[in-house]
Amino acid sequence: MRVAVIGVGCSKFGELWEMGFRDIMISAGVEALEDANLEGKEIEAIYVGNMSAGRYVGQEHIASLIADYSGLADLHIPCVRVEAGDASGGVALRQAYMAVASGMHDVVIAAGAEKVTDVPNAVEILSSCADVEWEVFNGANLPALYAMIARMHMRRYGTKEEDLAMVSVKNHKNATLNPKAMFRREIDLETALNSPYVAEPLRLFDCSPICDGASVVILASEDVARKYTDTPIYIEACTQASDYLALQSRRDITTMDSVVQASRKAYKIAGIDPKDVDVVEVHDSFTIAEIIAYEDLGFVEKGRGAELVREGVTMLDGEIPVNPSGGLKAFGHAVGATGIRQAVEIVLQLRGDAGKRQVDAEMGLSLNVGGTGGTAVVTVFSR
Ligand code: COA
């Protein structure tokens, strides 16, 4: 069964002190229902990506909470929370996609939500996406692990700190065009290169921020979708792959095999090549991750990722615009919400609803990664 996206919603991303977890989630949900012109009673199931509500806000059992607080408790529909670190949103999207593709349900919600900024130890909790016993206990939290990846990429392929900074400058520029982004300020190369090291060679402007937010997409089977919208966006493939959790076990820390595997499977299912993709959202939790994503998604050969940013290929007006939303770096990275938030951006781009950051696109792709690549979800969309 072909699956379409018929509605999207997204909260603002940032330090949302004035909103609780449930308020953030509901603001995105209401927007998606309005966008789809749908009533809650038509929803048949909900899949929510969330990394760690138990540790961030002290609340488990959030799937039931969300159905309840959305006013859907009386429908008694199945509501499922899924967790895969910061790939939780992508995995929720895939579960929702499979529920519709299989014919089990006609209209489902895929959501992602995280309220991170209420705790003082957010980076410690985030870093539990890596191998806590083998990596984090020894001081290798996520910024440190990505720093090792960056250092190896630099040594082996000649990638420079300037290249990493260029990714940040690009994504900050895109975010100025996105009203819901956390950082809507342009930065120059000098600012990025003069910011303090967080984990050498990664500086403040190489890191995605600590951030709250929620996103929702509503999926429907093709026949049902036509009742609600004249502009359905189709999901051509939604694939997931895993890898060793700890970097030390990987065959090559500059390649995410989960991304390679998931993307090759997605291209095969969708019947496309990387060159057919017009717009992309990748998981730039750190700037080096965006450069590696260019390579692992097959846009350029291994080791030459930095050339794409140097030559402007991935700018908004480039050949393959990457992270038109501002990416995790500047739009923000609300952990479990990110995979869905990326889908929202691709859908807006393909519908022609992306405002000042609109690019010309018929086929889009999103890549959501958990931790340093233990999980990857690749989704291909078409209009
Ligand atoms: N990029 C740009 N500016 C940032 C920023 C970021 N990632 N994070 C914070 N800032 C800014 C703040 O807006 C603030 O600016 P102001 O003084 O003008 O208001 C200033 O830097 C200090 O903010 P603060 O919240 O005190 O930052 P921090 O030093 O506690 O944390 C990082 C900054 C980068 C260390 C933190 O965001 C981090 O660890 N990020 C990585 C998270 C991570 O591991 N993600 C993994 C995903 S796989």
Short mmCIF file of all heavy atoms in Angstrom, two decimals, residues 8 174 177-178 231 233 278-281 315-317 321-327 341-365 381-383:
data_model
loop_
_atom_site.label_atom_id
_atom_site.label_comp_id
_atom_site.label_asym_id
_atom_site.label_seq_id
_atom_site.Cartn_x
_atom_site.Cartn_y
_atom_site.Cartn_z
N VAL A 8 1.35 18.08 8.52
CA VAL A 8 2.58 18.23 9.31
C VAL A 8 2.42 19.35 10.33
O VAL A 8 1.68 20.31 10.11
CB VAL A 8 3.81 18.56 8.41
CG1 VAL A 8 4.11 17.43 7.46
CG2 VAL A 8 3.63 19.86 7.64
N ASN A 174 20.68 29.35 6.77
CA ASN A 174 19.38 28.80 6.42
C ASN A 174 18.36 29.04 7.54
O ASN A 174 17.19 29.34 7.28
CB ASN A 174 19.48 27.30 6.13
CG ASN A 174 20.29 27.01 4.88
OD1 ASN A 174 20.62 27.92 4.13
ND2 ASN A 174 20.63 25.75 4.65
N LEU A 177 16.00 31.97 7.87
CA LEU A 177 14.80 31.99 7.02
C LEU A 177 13.70 31.10 7.59
O LEU A 177 12.68 30.86 6.93
CB LEU A 177 15.17 31.52 5.60
CG LEU A 177 16.33 32.27 4.94
CD1 LEU A 177 16.70 31.62 3.62
CD2 LEU A 177 15.95 33.73 4.73
N ASN A 178 13.92 30.56 8.78
CA ASN A 178 12.97 29.61 9.34
C ASN A 178 12.42 30.12 10.67
O ASN A 178 13.14 30.12 11.68
CB ASN A 178 13.67 28.25 9.55
CG ASN A 178 12.68 27.15 9.80
OD1 ASN A 178 11.57 27.39 10.27
ND2 ASN A 178 13.07 25.93 9.50
N THR A 231 -2.48 17.71 -2.38
CA THR A 231 -1.01 17.70 -2.47
C THR A 231 -0.40 16.67 -1.52
O THR A 231 0.41 17.02 -0.66
CB THR A 231 -0.44 19.10 -2.14
OG1 THR A 231 -0.96 19.50 -0.86
CG2 THR A 231 -0.73 20.11 -3.20
N ILE A 233 2.17 14.06 -0.17
CA ILE A 233 3.59 13.78 -0.42
C ILE A 233 3.79 12.31 -0.09
O ILE A 233 3.42 11.85 1.00
CB ILE A 233 4.48 14.67 0.49
CG1 ILE A 233 4.23 16.16 0.18
CG2 ILE A 233 5.94 14.30 0.33
CD1 ILE A 233 4.49 16.59 -1.24
N ASP A 278 16.62 15.87 -4.69
CA ASP A 278 16.73 17.32 -4.90
C ASP A 278 16.94 18.11 -3.61
O ASP A 278 17.41 19.25 -3.66
CB ASP A 278 15.43 17.84 -5.55
CG ASP A 278 15.12 17.12 -6.84
OD1 ASP A 278 16.01 17.03 -7.68
OD2 ASP A 278 13.97 16.65 -6.99
N VAL A 279 16.51 17.56 -2.48
CA VAL A 279 16.64 18.30 -1.21
C VAL A 279 16.81 17.28 -0.08
O VAL A 279 16.20 16.22 -0.10
CB VAL A 279 15.43 19.23 -0.98
CG1 VAL A 279 14.12 18.46 -0.89
CG2 VAL A 279 15.61 20.09 0.26
N VAL A 280 17.66 17.65 0.88
CA VAL A 280 18.06 16.67 1.90
C VAL A 280 18.09 17.31 3.28
O VAL A 280 18.53 18.45 3.43
CB VAL A 280 19.48 16.13 1.57
CG1 VAL A 280 19.88 15.04 2.54
CG2 VAL A 280 19.57 15.62 0.15
N GLU A 281 17.65 16.56 4.28
CA GLU A 281 17.87 16.94 5.68
C GLU A 281 18.74 15.84 6.29
O GLU A 281 18.35 14.66 6.28
CB GLU A 281 16.53 17.02 6.43
CG GLU A 281 15.71 18.25 6.11
CD GLU A 281 16.19 19.49 6.86
OE1 GLU A 281 16.39 19.42 8.08
OE2 GLU A 281 16.35 20.55 6.21
N MET A 315 24.60 24.37 -0.44
CA MET A 315 23.93 25.62 -0.01
C MET A 315 22.50 25.62 -0.52
O MET A 315 22.14 24.85 -1.41
CB MET A 315 24.66 26.83 -0.60
CG MET A 315 26.13 26.89 -0.27
SD MET A 315 26.52 28.05 1.01
CE MET A 315 26.12 29.61 0.26
N LEU A 316 21.70 26.56 0.00
CA LEU A 316 20.29 26.64 -0.40
C LEU A 316 20.13 26.77 -1.92
O LEU A 316 19.21 26.22 -2.51
CB LEU A 316 19.67 27.85 0.30
CG LEU A 316 18.19 27.80 0.65
CD1 LEU A 316 17.81 26.53 1.39
CD2 LEU A 316 17.78 29.02 1.42
N ASP A 317 21.06 27.51 -2.57
CA ASP A 317 20.96 27.67 -4.02
C ASP A 317 21.92 26.74 -4.76
O ASP A 317 22.20 26.93 -5.95
CB ASP A 317 21.22 29.13 -4.42
CG ASP A 317 22.60 29.60 -3.93
OD1 ASP A 317 23.29 28.80 -3.27
OD2 ASP A 317 22.98 30.75 -4.24
N PRO A 321 20.68 21.09 -2.11
CA PRO A 321 20.56 21.81 -0.83
C PRO A 321 20.44 20.83 0.33
O PRO A 321 19.60 19.93 0.30
CB PRO A 321 19.28 22.63 -1.00
CG PRO A 321 19.00 22.64 -2.46
CD PRO A 321 19.59 21.40 -3.04
N VAL A 322 21.31 21.01 1.34
CA VAL A 322 21.26 20.13 2.51
C VAL A 322 20.97 20.98 3.75
O VAL A 322 21.60 22.01 3.98
CB VAL A 322 22.59 19.36 2.68
CG1 VAL A 322 22.57 18.55 3.98
CG2 VAL A 322 22.84 18.44 1.50
N ASN A 323 20.02 20.53 4.51
CA ASN A 323 19.55 21.19 5.73
C ASN A 323 19.03 22.61 5.47
O ASN A 323 19.45 23.58 6.13
CB ASN A 323 20.64 21.19 6.81
CG ASN A 323 20.79 19.81 7.45
OD1 ASN A 323 19.84 19.03 7.46
ND2 ASN A 323 21.95 19.51 7.95
N PRO A 324 18.07 22.74 4.54
CA PRO A 324 17.46 24.06 4.33
C PRO A 324 16.77 24.59 5.58
O PRO A 324 16.63 25.80 5.75
CB PRO A 324 16.45 23.80 3.20
CG PRO A 324 16.19 22.33 3.21
CD PRO A 324 17.48 21.71 3.67
N SER A 325 16.37 23.70 6.48
CA SER A 325 15.69 24.12 7.72
C SER A 325 16.63 24.87 8.67
O SER A 325 16.17 25.59 9.55
CB SER A 325 15.19 22.88 8.47
OG SER A 325 16.32 22.11 8.89
N GLY A 326 17.94 24.67 8.49
CA GLY A 326 18.92 25.13 9.48
C GLY A 326 19.58 23.94 10.17
O GLY A 326 20.55 24.08 10.90
N GLY A 327 19.00 22.74 9.94
CA GLY A 327 19.62 21.52 10.48
C GLY A 327 19.57 21.46 11.99
O GLY A 327 19.02 22.34 12.66
N ARG A 341 10.88 16.03 12.75
CA ARG A 341 11.09 17.43 12.34
C ARG A 341 11.75 17.48 10.95
O ARG A 341 11.40 18.32 10.11
CB ARG A 341 11.96 18.13 13.40
CG ARG A 341 11.94 19.62 13.41
CD ARG A 341 12.80 20.24 12.35
NE ARG A 341 14.18 19.82 12.42
CZ ARG A 341 15.00 19.79 11.37
NH1 ARG A 341 14.58 20.14 10.17
NH2 ARG A 341 16.26 19.38 11.50
N GLN A 342 12.66 16.58 10.69
CA GLN A 342 13.29 16.53 9.36
C GLN A 342 12.24 16.18 8.29
O GLN A 342 12.24 16.77 7.19
CB GLN A 342 14.39 15.47 9.35
CG GLN A 342 15.56 15.78 10.28
CD GLN A 342 16.53 14.61 10.38
OE1 GLN A 342 16.12 13.46 10.54
NE2 GLN A 342 17.81 14.89 10.30
N ALA A 343 11.35 15.24 8.63
CA ALA A 343 10.29 14.85 7.67
C ALA A 343 9.38 16.04 7.39
O ALA A 343 8.97 16.27 6.25
CB ALA A 343 9.49 13.68 8.22
N VAL A 344 9.09 16.82 8.43
CA VAL A 344 8.24 18.01 8.26
C VAL A 344 8.87 18.95 7.23
O VAL A 344 8.21 19.44 6.31
CB VAL A 344 8.02 18.75 9.61
CG1 VAL A 344 7.34 20.10 9.39
CG2 VAL A 344 7.21 17.88 10.57
N GLU A 345 10.18 19.18 7.36
CA GLU A 345 10.86 20.10 6.43
C GLU A 345 10.81 19.59 4.99
O GLU A 345 10.54 20.36 4.06
CB GLU A 345 12.32 20.31 6.87
CG GLU A 345 13.13 21.21 5.94
CD GLU A 345 12.66 22.66 5.94
OE1 GLU A 345 11.89 23.05 6.84
OE2 GLU A 345 13.07 23.41 5.02
N ILE A 346 11.08 18.30 4.82
CA ILE A 346 11.07 17.77 3.45
C ILE A 346 9.66 17.88 2.85
O ILE A 346 9.50 18.25 1.67
CB ILE A 346 11.58 16.30 3.42
CG1 ILE A 346 13.04 16.22 3.89
CG2 ILE A 346 11.42 15.70 2.02
CD1 ILE A 346 14.06 16.89 2.98
N VAL A 347 8.64 17.59 3.64
CA VAL A 347 7.26 17.69 3.14
C VAL A 347 6.95 19.14 2.75
O VAL A 347 6.40 19.41 1.67
CB VAL A 347 6.25 17.15 4.19
CG1 VAL A 347 4.82 17.50 3.79
CG2 VAL A 347 6.42 15.64 4.35
N LEU A 348 7.32 20.09 3.60
CA LEU A 348 7.07 21.51 3.27
C LEU A 348 7.77 21.89 1.98
O LEU A 348 7.21 22.57 1.12
CB LEU A 348 7.54 22.42 4.42
CG LEU A 348 6.75 22.32 5.73
CD1 LEU A 348 7.40 23.19 6.80
CD2 LEU A 348 5.28 22.73 5.54
N GLN A 349 9.02 21.42 1.83
CA GLN A 349 9.78 21.74 0.61
C GLN A 349 9.10 21.15 -0.62
O GLN A 349 8.97 21.82 -1.65
CB GLN A 349 11.22 21.20 0.73
CG GLN A 349 12.10 21.94 1.73
CD GLN A 349 12.54 23.32 1.26
OE1 GLN A 349 12.32 23.69 0.11
NE2 GLN A 349 13.14 24.10 2.15
N LEU A 350 8.65 19.90 -0.53
CA LEU A 350 8.06 19.24 -1.71
C LEU A 350 6.68 19.82 -2.04
O LEU A 350 6.25 19.82 -3.19
CB LEU A 350 7.98 17.73 -1.50
CG LEU A 350 9.33 17.01 -1.37
CD1 LEU A 350 9.13 15.52 -1.16
CD2 LEU A 350 10.21 17.25 -2.59
N ARG A 351 5.99 20.33 -1.02
CA ARG A 351 4.68 20.95 -1.27
C ARG A 351 4.81 22.37 -1.79
O ARG A 351 3.83 22.98 -2.21
CB ARG A 351 3.87 21.01 0.04
CG ARG A 351 3.34 19.68 0.48
CD ARG A 351 2.14 19.76 1.42
NE ARG A 351 2.22 20.72 2.49
CZ ARG A 351 1.65 20.54 3.69
NH1 ARG A 351 0.99 19.42 3.95
NH2 ARG A 351 1.73 21.47 4.61
N GLY A 352 6.00 22.94 -1.66
CA GLY A 352 6.19 24.34 -2.05
C GLY A 352 5.76 25.30 -0.94
O GLY A 352 5.44 26.46 -1.19
N ASP A 353 5.75 24.81 0.32
CA ASP A 353 5.28 25.62 1.45
C ASP A 353 6.41 26.05 2.37
O ASP A 353 6.17 26.32 3.55
CB ASP A 353 4.26 24.81 2.28
CG ASP A 353 2.94 24.65 1.56
OD1 ASP A 353 2.66 25.45 0.64
OD2 ASP A 353 2.17 23.73 1.91
N ALA A 354 7.65 26.09 1.87
CA ALA A 354 8.79 26.35 2.77
C ALA A 354 9.18 27.83 2.84
O ALA A 354 10.23 28.18 3.37
CB ALA A 354 9.99 25.50 2.36
N GLY A 355 8.32 28.69 2.32
CA GLY A 355 8.55 30.13 2.47
C GLY A 355 9.85 30.59 1.86
O GLY A 355 10.23 30.19 0.77
N LYS A 356 10.58 31.43 2.63
CA LYS A 356 11.79 32.06 2.08
C LYS A 356 12.92 31.08 1.84
O LYS A 356 13.92 31.40 1.21
CB LYS A 356 12.28 33.15 3.04
CG LYS A 356 11.35 34.34 3.08
CD LYS A 356 11.91 35.41 3.98
CE LYS A 356 11.01 36.62 3.95
NZ LYS A 356 11.19 37.49 5.09
N ARG A 357 12.83 29.89 2.41
CA ARG A 357 13.92 28.91 2.21
C ARG A 357 13.53 27.86 1.18
O ARG A 357 14.17 26.80 1.07
CB ARG A 357 14.31 28.27 3.54
CG ARG A 357 13.18 27.55 4.22
CD ARG A 357 13.53 27.06 5.60
NE ARG A 357 12.53 26.12 6.08
CZ ARG A 357 11.31 26.46 6.49
NH1 ARG A 357 10.94 27.72 6.51
NH2 ARG A 357 10.46 25.53 6.91
N GLN A 358 12.48 28.14 0.39
CA GLN A 358 11.99 27.18 -0.61
C GLN A 358 13.05 26.86 -1.66
O GLN A 358 13.70 27.76 -2.19
CB GLN A 358 10.75 27.77 -1.30
CG GLN A 358 10.10 26.83 -2.30
CD GLN A 358 9.50 25.59 -1.64
OE1 GLN A 358 8.75 25.71 -0.69
NE2 GLN A 358 9.85 24.42 -2.13
N VAL A 359 13.21 25.57 -1.96
CA VAL A 359 14.07 25.16 -3.08
C VAL A 359 13.19 24.43 -4.09
O VAL A 359 12.06 24.07 -3.79
CB VAL A 359 15.24 24.25 -2.60
CG1 VAL A 359 16.05 24.94 -1.53
CG2 VAL A 359 14.73 22.91 -2.11
N ASP A 360 13.73 24.23 -5.29
CA ASP A 360 12.96 23.55 -6.33
C ASP A 360 13.20 22.05 -6.19
O ASP A 360 14.32 21.58 -6.42
CB ASP A 360 13.46 24.07 -7.69
CG ASP A 360 12.66 23.47 -8.83
OD1 ASP A 360 11.55 22.98 -8.56
OD2 ASP A 360 13.18 23.47 -9.96
N ALA A 361 12.17 21.30 -5.78
CA ALA A 361 12.42 19.88 -5.49
C ALA A 361 11.21 19.00 -5.77
O ALA A 361 10.07 19.39 -5.50
CB ALA A 361 12.82 19.73 -4.02
N GLU A 362 11.51 17.82 -6.32
CA GLU A 362 10.46 16.82 -6.52
C GLU A 362 10.68 15.59 -5.66
O GLU A 362 9.78 14.84 -5.37
CB GLU A 362 10.45 16.38 -7.99
CG GLU A 362 10.06 17.50 -8.89
CD GLU A 362 9.56 17.04 -10.23
OE1 GLU A 362 9.70 15.85 -10.53
OE2 GLU A 362 9.05 17.89 -10.95
N MET A 363 11.96 15.38 -5.28
CA MET A 363 12.31 14.19 -4.50
C MET A 363 13.18 14.63 -3.33
O MET A 363 14.14 15.38 -3.53
CB MET A 363 13.09 13.25 -5.43
CG MET A 363 13.56 11.96 -4.88
SD MET A 363 12.39 10.62 -4.93
CE MET A 363 12.00 10.44 -6.64
N GLY A 364 12.82 14.21 -2.12
CA GLY A 364 13.59 14.62 -0.94
C GLY A 364 13.99 13.43 -0.09
O GLY A 364 13.39 12.34 -0.21
N LEU A 365 14.98 13.64 0.75
CA LEU A 365 15.48 12.54 1.59
C LEU A 365 15.80 13.08 2.99
O LEU A 365 16.32 14.19 3.12
CB LEU A 365 16.74 11.95 0.95
CG LEU A 365 17.45 10.81 1.68
CD1 LEU A 365 18.09 9.84 0.66
CD2 LEU A 365 18.54 11.31 2.63
N PHE A 381 11.10 10.77 0.03
CA PHE A 381 9.77 11.36 -0.20
C PHE A 381 9.69 11.85 -1.66
O PHE A 381 10.68 12.30 -2.23
CB PHE A 381 9.56 12.60 0.68
CG PHE A 381 9.72 12.38 2.17
CD1 PHE A 381 10.97 12.37 2.77
CD2 PHE A 381 8.60 12.21 2.98
CE1 PHE A 381 11.11 12.19 4.14
CE2 PHE A 381 8.74 12.04 4.36
CZ PHE A 381 9.99 12.03 4.94
N SER A 382 8.48 11.81 -2.22
CA SER A 382 8.31 12.40 -3.55
C SER A 382 6.98 13.16 -3.61
O SER A 382 6.09 12.90 -2.79
CB SER A 382 8.32 11.32 -4.64
OG SER A 382 7.10 10.61 -4.59
N ARG A 383 6.86 14.06 -4.57
CA ARG A 383 5.56 14.75 -4.65
C ARG A 383 4.78 14.28 -5.86
O ARG A 383 5.34 13.63 -6.74
CB ARG A 383 5.77 16.26 -4.69
CG ARG A 383 6.36 16.80 -5.93
CD ARG A 383 6.21 18.32 -6.00
NE ARG A 383 6.62 18.74 -7.30
CZ ARG A 383 7.36 19.83 -7.56
NH1 ARG A 383 7.74 20.59 -6.60
NH2 ARG A 383 7.69 20.12 -8.80
#
